[in-house]
Every structure is written in C-alpha cells, then in structure tokens.
Amino acid sequence: GEDVEQSLFLSVREGDSSVINCTYTDSSSTYLYWYKQEPGAGLQLLTYIFSNMDMKQDQRLTVLLNKKDKHLSLRIADTQTGDSAIYFCAENYGQNFVFGPGTRLSVLP
Amino acid sequence: GAGVSQTPSNKVTEKGKYVELRCDPISGHTALYWYRQSLGQGPEFLIYFQGTGAADDSGLPNDRFFAVRPEGSVSTLKIQRTERGDSAVYLCASSLGTSGGGELFFGEGSRLTVL
C-alpha cells in the first residue's frame, strides 16, 4: 500500500535553515504537498510541487523533488520561532491524499 | 462559511455509546474527506465523498463507522458502539474536487475521547 515516511523531529536555531525530508511510494502521484499544523489548529497547505518539476521556490520555502528516489524535501530559509509546528508531507493517490507521520520542527532562540 | 467547520470540537463519551460528528465544508466544494489523527501521527484516510456519494470508503476501519452526505454539502460521521481505541481527532477536509489532486482545506477537527 501507499506509505509516506518522514523523520519525526527536527531542532534548529533561529535564523538557520531547516530541511525536512520525506520519502513516498506512489510514482504515479501527480502532486506532492507540504502541510503545516500549528498547535490546536487544522492542517494548512504550505506549498506543493507538480510531479514533473524538480524544484519550486516560494519566498523562504524551497521544495526539491527527486522522482527517481521518490524523495521530497522542504527547506525553510532563515527559520523563525513562528515556524515551529508539525510539517506533513503528502502525496495524492488518485483523488485520495496520503499523509506522512509529520516532522515536529522546534526553533530554538 | 469562510472555512470548514466541524462540530463538536470536543466530545467525551463512554465505551459502547453512539457518536455523531458533523462537518460543514466550504461552500461549492464538491469533494469532502474524513481523516482520523491519533496522537503523534499523521492523518489517516477514512472516507471520501464526491457530491453525495462515497467515492472511496476503503479507510473505514470496520462496520461501526459510517458516514453520509445526503445533500452533497454537510457530512456526518457516525460511530456505533464506541471503543477506547476510537479516541482520536477526526478531521474533515474539503476541496474543489478537480482531477489529479488539489488543495485540501481542513477544519480544526473534532477531538473524540472514549472513556
């Protein structure tokens, strides 16, 4: 079945870059997504990448996609305390969406 | 409404009871999803509606779980004979339902605690 994997924790200092990694299984996924969940809130779409792209940049966010290795990463430049949250990688499987377990990002002052 | 609304936000019940959780999606969104999120885990797919019909209910764990969306808007997730293992946050999401995926808009969830 479909399986999306992520490391569970990441800790960085304020101002440093954060890199969150994800591996997925379905090579037919059209889109790959990064969602952010802040404490007590619902998931919110952060960014996404179309499967025929290698990279997408959006302000402080850079998404890299290695389709051969089914590896997706999210880089957050100049990480701020407000970036502390859980980040979920997701792939679409037809009309369904499969989520990873989430990476909890802690930003230290 | 402006976003996906879920009620109740918190529900505490006793083992064996019946529970209903409601989701009001964004107006005009034809696709509606139910997910379950246990502590420390990612959302786990339960069921997906396209309009009034359940297009994929393969994630429902057993026949105690059932969901409806009779008019293609509001959806209700129904859990019979609740068990302690059903305790989780139940998330609803909606989208425009375009092919190939698209942005999911999530509600804040209904936290179910079964004692």
Side-chain angles (χ1 to χ4, degrees):
Chain A
E2 312 79 43
D3 198 14
V4 178
E5 295 184 350
Q6 301 177 238
S7 52
L8 297 182
F9 299 97
L10 177 65
S11 217
V12 299
R13 294 214 171 270
E14 194 173 10
D16 288 350
S17 291
S18 308
V19 179
I20 302 172
N21 294 301
C22 167
T23 56
Y24 61 97
T25 56
D26 187 359
S27 58
S28 66
S29 294
T30 310
Y31 294 93
L32 294 133
Y33 306 84
W34 285 103
Y35 278 80
K36 179 182 180 182
Q37 186 178 34
E38 297 188 42
L43 279 76
Q44 188 171 18
L45 181 67
L46 200 57
T47 187
Y48 66 94
I49 187 167
F50 190 49
S51 60
N52 70 353
M53 296 171 64
D54 297 325
M55 185 180 87
K56 179 179 179 181
Q57 187 145 6
D58 183 2
Q59 298 182 335
R60 292 190 298 121
L61 306 178
T62 303
V63 179
L64 295 178
L65 175 59
N66 180 330
K67 203 169 178 184
K68 174 177 165 290
D69 294 337
K70 298 191 184 73
H71 183 266
L72 183 74
S73 69
L74 173 69
R75 178 177 180 269
I76 306 172
D78 186 25
T79 313
Q80 302 297 306
T81 54
D83 295 324
S84 294
I86 303 175
Y87 292 80
F88 294 93
C89 169
E91 60 176 337
N92 77 292
Y93 183 72
Q95 283 298 319
N96 192 1
F97 297 78
V98 179
F99 288 82
T103 299
R104 183 180 293 274
L105 174 63
S106 298
V107 182
L108 308 172
Chain B
V4 177
S5 175
Q6 291 188 246
T7 54
S9 54
N10 274 289
K11 176 72 177 176
V12 180
T13 191
E14 292 179 343
K15 182 174 177 290
K17 298 290 188 184
Y18 170 80
V19 165
E20 287 191 354
L21 305 175
R22 176 189 164 107
C23 173
D24 199 341
I26 292 173
S27 177
H29 281 193
T30 59
L32 185 146
Y33 300 76
W34 283 100
Y35 284 83
R36 178 168 70 176
Q37 187 176 22
S38 300
L39 193 62
Q41 297 183 21
E44 174 196 10
F45 171 74
L46 295 177
I47 186 169
Y48 152 61
F49 288 90
Q50 184 62 254
T52 60
D56 183 351
D57 64 358
S58 62
L60 295 177
N62 51 60
D63 61 6
R64 294 187 298 106
F65 287 75
F66 189 70
V68 295
R69 194 186 185 198
E71 297 176 1
S73 178
V74 171
S75 176
T76 305
L77 178 66
K78 308 180 182 197
I79 310 173
Q80 298 178 318
R81 304 183 304 280
T82 50
E83 299 177 358
R84 292 196 180 89
D86 299 335
S87 296
V89 177
Y90 289 82
L91 298 171
C92 177
S94 69
S95 79
L96 287 170
T98 53
S99 62
E103 182 174 357
L104 287 181
F105 292 83
F106 280 86
E108 293 187 359
S110 292
R111 180 178 297 278
L112 174 65
T113 303
V114 181
L115 301 177

